[in-house]
Amino acid sequence: MSVTAIGSIALDSLSLPTGEYPEILGGSASHFATSCSLFTDVAIVGVVGEDFHNDHILYFKDRNIDTSGLQVVHGKTFRWKGKYEKEAMDQAITLDTQLNVFETFHPEIPEKLAQTDFVFLGNIHPKLQKEVAQKTTAKLKVLDTMNLWIAATKEDLIQALAEVDVLIFNETEAREFTGRENLKEAAKAVLDMGPKVVVIKRGGEGAMLVSAEDLFFVGGYPVEQVIDPTGAGDSFAGGLVGYLGESGDISRESLRRAVVYGNIMGSFNVQGVGTEVLSQASREEVDKRFEAFKRMMEF
Amino acid sequence: MSVTAIGSIALDSLSLPTGEYPEILGGSASHFATSCSLFTDVAIVGVVGEDFHNDHILYFKDRNIDTSGLQVVHGKTFRWKGKYEKEAMDQAITLDTQLNVFETFHPEIPEKLAQTDFVFLGNIHPKLQKEVAQKTTAKLKVLDTMNLWIAATKEDLIQALAEVDVLIFNETEAREFTGRENLKEAAKAVLDMGPKVVVIKRGGEGAMLVSAEDLFFVGGYPVEQVIDPTGAGDSFAGGLVGYLGESGDISRESLRRAVVYGNIMGSFNVQGVGTEVLSQASREEVDKRFEAFKRMMEF
């Protein structure tokens, strides 16, 4: 196993311009692992309730995603209900959140997973992210966070950051967390807190990477139509960590390519509802899009 | 002379978060020529009133900008009064527009300028753009337009487009003009109207170029602080046409580099009030920024 991902597993009910999609597979770990599994072996650590569909478990198994760290407990699975409006597809409107079994989730890392080289700490409480980061001996620990934790548990998040190598978040979160309008400055403020690399996701506008050695900008892969952006950030992270896990290379050049792969996986994610299109993509299609993107950007 | 630029010359009064700047040199031809003059010889064709400051004429002469096509007539110079708010520096709020001598402007191209290889048709009525385009024998005719003409004189604009090789406009204008949300589709709709190349400016997000042979995307050059975006689009066009004029090369590769130079010149433009920073830039600094940008974007 080269990547272990800790995060949420949810049943999402989406209201999209193209229709209503009740209780489909969602959550940060689901999108991350779907994306990551195109590159390398990945295991998920998370929790679901007794109502979690067997076909979702099979979905993971069919993708060779290790579920030995998936806890099935009494109670109901985490549910999120959200809406997107045609004119503002980049802004999720939360209609309802039911944490359910996710509220008391405590990640347990099976011994074989504690040895993986790459760990992804997805959307869970930063105290748990810190705890997992301290327990694993991974050569690269990547943390993703979201506005909720920045607003409610900023101090815990700062402590978690001291334990990881890479922080991934989006531009709004970068500004909220650091109070800096300029994204490069925001990233530099985070570098002072522990991470060696900061990746700022910019939705359809691409991403940037900032480290002591590098400053890298990449535009967004042009997508004809955004169907559902839910999980795009996690798919981005899945491509990024997946590529690093596959290559085993964390050089400056490899990190740049990993960010571009993240971009590409995010572009597949938004083209379908939930993991619909992402999960149908082949590694060949991913590489084809990577190469086409490279050609579109060269000068 | 390698480039002739037709457009507005204005006295802009700007209300910026950093202060009030009354009656500074503005207008599409002024920004375009300031930017273009770093690359190649450029002449401006426009009109000013009897109140136009001599030091602005000297400003052009000092930059080796040919003013033989600049008409000085009785009346007052075109004035624009605008405001930008800190949180939305990409949105100009027009407080007042006084067309003055610009209202009855009829461009007269001095004979020596009618022979230039590159013509830029900046912000003037599309009927005049068409007339000038038909009169010149330039090997590349580049037209820039704006929301005003798209809304008020769309049919005239369509007729002008039949006479030119390159259309430059921004993403909002591209969508308004074509009714297509997707920018690639919007560009393709324009290609059917005559131009062989469409360049869509995306402000701080960069630009894209679409032609029958090429599809090119470039992100924005990251600027620490936007001071004044007025004229950034014209400075972009000045870099683009200036580079083509200097190299004499309109190949696919050269057009890509020209778009990037456009981006770079736009980035200098926004860093100062009016043409303040742009006009201080040296060709060496421009190339340095071009190379730094290339390094930031490579993967």
Side-chain angles (χ1 to χ4, degrees):
Chain A
M1 200 57 52
S2 79
V3 177
T4 296
I6 296 93
S8 61
I9 296 161
L11 295 176
D12 285 347
S13 292
L14 306 177
S15 177
L16 303 172
T18 49
E20 302 293 317
Y21 301 86
E23 306 219 334
I24 60 171
L25 180 65
S28 64
S30 308
H31 284 272
F32 178 91
T34 302
S35 170
C36 191
S37 66
L38 276 179
F39 296 86
T40 189
D41 292 336
V42 54
I44 48 172
V45 173
V47 67
V48 294
E50 55 209 359
D51 59 346
F52 195 66
H53 314 302
N54 258 331
D55 53 358
H56 293 326
I57 303 279
L58 289 172
Y59 169 92
F60 291 130
K61 300 218 160 164
D62 287 348
R63 271 153 196 82
N64 205 23
I65 296 167
D66 183 300
T67 56
S68 61
L70 180 65
Q71 303 167 26
V72 185
V73 303
H74 289 295
K76 292 178 85 177
T77 303
F78 175 27
R79 276 169 172 73
W80 180 73
K81 202 169 178 173
K83 186 178 168 176
Y84 297 90
E85 281 166 355
K86 197 172 181 294
E87 303 307 315
M89 287 300 289
D90 55 338
Q91 281 165 48
I93 302 160
T94 293
L95 301 176
D96 191 32
T97 303
Q98 292 172 22
L99 289 174
N100 298 331
V101 299
F102 190 57
E103 191 161 13
T104 54
F105 170 53
H106 191 272
E108 301 295 337
I109 317 289
E111 200 163 332
K112 65 167 180 172
L113 302 184
Q115 317 293 327
T116 57
D117 279 343
F118 295 84
V119 168
F120 176 69
L121 303 158
N123 172 32
I124 53 171
H125 193 294
K127 273 195 175 158
L128 297 175
Q129 291 180 314
K130 180 186 167 191
E131 185 190 310
V132 175
Q134 285 176 327
K135 273 187 195 155
T136 59
T137 55
K139 80 172 180 186
L140 202 79
K141 300 172 191 179
V142 180
L143 186 148
D144 196 340
T145 190
M146 60 181 293
N147 50 4
L148 168 72
W149 310 117
I150 291 169
T153 59
K154 190 171 172 178
E155 281 310 311
D156 293 324
L157 182 55
I158 291 171
Q159 285 188 35
L161 287 179
E163 306 292 334
V164 303
D165 306 292
V166 181
L167 170 65
I168 303 180
F169 55 176
N170 73 36
E171 56 185 328
T172 311
E173 291 156 2
R175 292 187 172 115
E176 273 175 26
F177 182 57
T178 63
R180 308 287 177 95
E181 190 57 26
N182 183 280
L183 293 177
K184 201 170 97 183
E185 285 176 28
K188 295 214 159 171
V190 174
L191 292 178
D192 291 337
M193 298 177 190
K196 289 185 282 290
V197 176
V198 175
V199 176
I200 301 180
K201 297 173 287 187
R202 306 185 59 220
E205 303 303 343
M208 66 187 278
L209 176 149
V210 186
S211 69
E213 305 86 45
D214 202 14
L215 178 61
F216 174 54
F217 288 84
V218 65
Y221 179 87
V223 165
E224 299 279 328
Q225 199 191 353
V226 173
I227 296 295
D228 173 20
T230 314
D234 300 299
S235 295
F236 174 97
L240 188 152
V241 181
Y243 176 73
L244 296 175
E246 179 195 47
S247 66
D249 176 4
I250 52 172
S251 67
R252 178 179 164 282
E253 291 71 28
S254 182
L255 281 164
R256 284 187 170 210
R257 283 194 298 273
V259 170
V260 178
Y261 273 111
N263 235 1
I264 298 297
M265 298 314 286
S267 76
F268 279 107
N269 186 104
V270 304
Q271 288 185 300
V273 179
T275 58
E276 187 188 38
V277 167
L278 182 70
S279 63
Q280 302 292 322
S282 67
R283 180 57 201 271
E284 289 67 36
E285 286 173 285
V286 169
D287 280 339
K288 213 173 136 188
R289 196 171 278 199
F290 182 98
E291 291 303 327
F293 188 56
K294 195 174 158 74
R295 283 195 301 275
M296 268 181 233
M297 308 287 286
E298 266 166 357
F299 63 87
Chain B
M1 200 57 53
S2 79
V3 177
T4 296
I6 296 94
S8 61
I9 296 160
L11 295 175
D12 286 347
S13 292
L14 306 176
S15 177
L16 303 173
T18 50
E20 302 293 317
Y21 302 87
E23 306 218 334
I24 59 172
L25 180 64
S28 64
S30 308
H31 284 272
F32 178 92
T34 302
S35 169
C36 190
S37 67
L38 276 177
F39 296 85
T40 189
D41 291 336
V42 54
I44 48 173
V45 174
V47 66
V48 295
E50 55 208 357
D51 58 346
F52 195 66
H53 315 303
N54 258 330
D55 52 359
H56 293 325
I57 304 278
L58 289 172
Y59 168 93
F60 292 129
K61 301 217 161 170
D62 287 347
R63 271 154 196 82
N64 205 25
I65 295 168
D66 182 299
T67 55
S68 60
L70 181 65
Q71 303 166 26
V72 185
V73 302
H74 289 296
K76 292 178 85 178
T77 301
F78 175 26
R79 276 169 171 75
W80 180 74
K81 202 168 179 175
K83 185 179 171 176
Y84 297 90
E85 281 166 355
K86 196 170 181 293
E87 304 307 315
M89 288 300 288
D90 54 340
Q91 281 163 48
I93 302 160
T94 293
L95 301 176
D96 190 31
T97 304
Q98 293 172 21
L99 290 174
N100 298 332
V101 299
F102 190 56
E103 191 161 10
T104 53
F105 170 54
H106 190 271
E108 300 296 338
I109 316 289
E111 200 163 334
K112 67 167 179 173
L113 300 185
Q115 317 294 326
T116 57
D117 279 343
F118 294 84
V119 168
F120 176 69
L121 303 159
N123 174 31
I124 52 170
H125 194 293
K127 273 194 176 162
L128 298 175
Q129 291 180 314
K130 180 186 166 192
E131 185 189 310
V132 175
Q134 286 176 326
K135 273 187 196 157
T136 59
T137 55
K139 77 171 182 187
L140 202 78
K141 301 172 190 178
V142 180
L143 187 149
D144 196 340
T145 190
M146 60 182 292
N147 50 2
L148 168 72
W149 309 116
I150 291 170
T153 59
K154 190 170 171 179
E155 282 310 311
D156 293 324
L157 181 55
I158 291 171
Q159 285 187 36
L161 287 180
E163 306 291 333
V164 304
D165 305 292
V166 181
L167 170 64
I168 303 181
F169 55 177
N170 73 36
E171 55 186 329
T172 310
E173 292 155 2
R175 291 186 172 115
E176 273 175 26
F177 182 57
T178 63
R180 308 288 175 95
E181 190 57 26
N182 182 280
L183 294 177
K184 201 170 95 184
E185 285 176 27
K188 296 213 159 173
V190 174
L191 292 179
D192 291 336
M193 298 177 190
K196 289 186 281 293
V197 177
V198 175
V199 176
I200 301 180
K201 299 173 286 187
R202 306 185 59 220
E205 303 304 340
M208 66 187 278
L209 176 150
V210 185
S211 70
E213 305 85 47
D214 203 15
L215 178 61
F216 174 53
F217 289 83
V218 64
Y221 178 87
V223 165
E224 300 279 328
Q225 199 190 352
V226 173
I227 296 295
D228 173 21
T230 313
D234 299 300
S235 295
F236 175 97
L240 188 151
V241 181
Y243 176 73
L244 296 175
E246 177 195 49
S247 66
D249 176 4
I250 53 171
S251 67
R252 179 179 163 281
E253 292 69 30
S254 182
L255 281 164
R256 285 187 171 210
R257 283 194 298 274
V259 170
V260 178
Y261 272 112
N263 235 2
I264 298 297
M265 298 314 285
S267 77
F268 279 106
N269 185 103
V270 304
Q271 288 185 301
V273 179
T275 58
E276 186 187 40
V277 167
L278 183 69
S279 63
Q280 302 293 320
S282 67
R283 180 55 202 271
E284 290 66 38
E285 286 172 286
V286 170
D287 281 338
K288 214 174 136 188
R289 196 171 278 199
F290 182 98
E291 291 304 327
F293 188 54
K294 196 174 158 73
R295 282 194 303 275
M296 268 181 232
M297 307 287 285
E298 266 165 357
F299 63 86

